[in-house]
Amino acid sequence: MVFLFSITNINAQDKTIALYEGEAPGSENWTWEEAKMYSDLFNTEVVYNVVNPEVLVFEPQNPNGTSIIIAPGGGFQTLSIHKEGTKLAEYLASKGITAFVLKYRLIHSKTKDPAKELIANLQDRDAHYERTAAVQKLAGQDCIKAIEFVKKNASAYNLDPDKIGVIGFSAGGTVILESILNNSSVENLPDFAASMYGGPTDKLLNAEIPQKPLPLFIAAASDDQLKLAPKSISLYNKWLAAGYPVELHMYASGGHGFGMSKQNLPVDTWFKRFEDWLIQYNYIND
């Protein structure tokens, strides 16, 4: 399906591409339908009940060869598709980066207010983790599949197959780490990564780091309502201990899920620091 929009430096087509031919492996028996709504609770659009993983493609007019797969957050129950997905994709495309917003598989929401349902589920975080554990693995496979798609179609999008990155917000941070730390397909590892206020499990934090020394950018806020700031520090220490390139920005204020929102705080410009980092590693031309 194709949507039309107008924005400076971006081609006038936002393509949606399915990652699997037919049903995605592991969720063949899912019968619910994907839906989208504006959440007053989260102050942004959310997608839920994703069954068929896809990528939304944002192409710059003058691609510089770099591509980034964006995994929005939402507790594996929703996807904050705009604040942690398409809005960043538009910004990256304005810098010459081809962006792919990943719609990965989620648990089944039983109501038409998945955000409210998620908040209720998070009252018992351990139970929610158990509920989402299987889907976390499937979502990680979806991210690996997206990397594979970009590599296979690099020439069609004028991309460098050795300049493919991933960025994940919150639960999306777990998704991109699954594609790095639980990826048996070495040829489909990303080349660089970014984790935004993620909460990786202890199992992921203790997983063997890949031999490929890919650079990692991390950002979070100390006043994260979900108390996930220490997870970002642990992830930083994991990369640092391996001698891999890593950069950490821990803002005093910003809360959890700041994404591309504006709060009139220093955290509002985190994406500028990300841009500086991308320039440093030659993923954006200065």
Side-chain angles (χ1 to χ4, degrees):
M1 66 184 77
V2 178
F3 303 95
L4 300 181
F5 66 99
S6 177
I7 184 167
T8 305
N9 294 329
I10 302 176
N11 287 343
Q13 286 189 342
D14 166 18
K15 304 173 184 176
T16 302
I17 298 175
L19 289 177
Y20 299 91
E21 293 184 9
E23 297 171 331
S27 56
E28 296 89 346
N29 296 325
W30 293 8
T31 58
W32 44 92
E33 294 185 2
E34 180 182 315
K36 186 177 181 178
M37 65 168 290
Y38 184 87
S39 169
D40 291 326
L41 191 61
F42 291 166
N43 295 315
T44 188
E45 286 185 325
V46 298
V47 170
Y48 60 105
N49 286 344
V50 175
V51 175
N52 300 306
E54 301 172 331
V55 285
L56 311 179
V57 188
F58 290 77
E59 297 181 71
Q61 290 181 352
N62 298 300
N64 65 11
T66 300
S67 58
I68 296 181
I69 296 161
I70 304 169
F76 292 100
Q77 183 145 16
T78 69
L79 296 177
S80 183
I81 200 70
H82 181 57
K83 187 169 66 174
E84 297 176 348
T86 59
K87 199 169 180 180
L88 176 61
E90 290 170 353
Y91 181 79
L92 292 174
S94 75
K95 301 298 177 180
I97 293 175
T98 305
F100 299 83
V101 179
L102 175 64
K103 289 167 60 180
Y104 54 86
R105 281 172 284 183
L106 305 169
I107 64 170
H108 181 209
S109 291
K110 299 177 181 179
T111 70
K112 292 185 178 180
D113 192 343
K116 184 177 180 180
E117 195 174 334
L118 172 61
I119 294 301
N121 285 337
L122 287 174
Q123 297 306 307
D124 187 339
R125 201 177 300 181
D126 289 340
H128 185 66
Y129 170 74
E130 291 298 328
R131 189 182 299 112
T132 62
V135 169
Q136 291 183 34
K137 298 295 184 185
L138 295 178
Q141 290 302 312
D142 297 340
C143 190
I144 293 171
K145 191 71 174 178
I147 297 168
E148 178 185 345
F149 168 81
V150 175
K151 282 187 178 290
K152 285 184 176 179
N153 294 277
S155 60
Y157 289 102
N158 296 309
L159 300 176
D160 185 335
D162 296 321
K163 288 187 174 184
I164 300 173
V166 291
I167 180 170
F169 295 80
S170 191
T174 295
V175 173
I176 65 105
L177 287 175
E178 285 280 352
S179 78
I180 296 169
L181 301 176
N182 278 334
N183 190 347
S184 59
S185 177
V186 178
E187 66 273 14
N188 286 329
L189 281 170
D191 300 294
F192 61 96
S195 174
M196 301 296 301
Y197 44 86
T201 63
D202 290 341
K203 187 175 181 180
L204 270 177
L205 287 173
N206 291 324
E208 185 176 349
I209 199 164
Q211 294 298 310
K212 182 178 182 179
L214 57 90
L216 177 65
F217 176 95
I218 306 169
S222 296
D223 64 348
D224 187 309
Q225 298 93 326
L226 298 183
K227 311 296 184 185
L228 295 179
K231 294 281 191 178
S232 290
I233 296 171
S234 294
L235 183 61
Y236 169 82
N237 286 334
K238 182 179 182 68
W239 248 249
L240 191 67
Y244 290 179
V246 60
E247 182 166 317
L248 171 65
H249 294 262
M250 187 61 71
Y251 293 89
S253 303
H256 186 81
F258 50 81
M260 297 292 284
S261 61
K262 185 176 181 181
Q263 303 180 68
N264 296 318
L265 293 170
V267 72
D268 294 354
T269 58
W270 71 266
F271 58 91
K272 288 291 188 179
R273 307 292 75 75
F274 184 47
E275 182 183 341
D276 293 339
W277 183 82
L278 290 168
I279 291 170
Q280 177 184 352
Y281 289 97
N282 298 315
Y283 293 120
I284 291 179
N285 302 321
D286 191 3

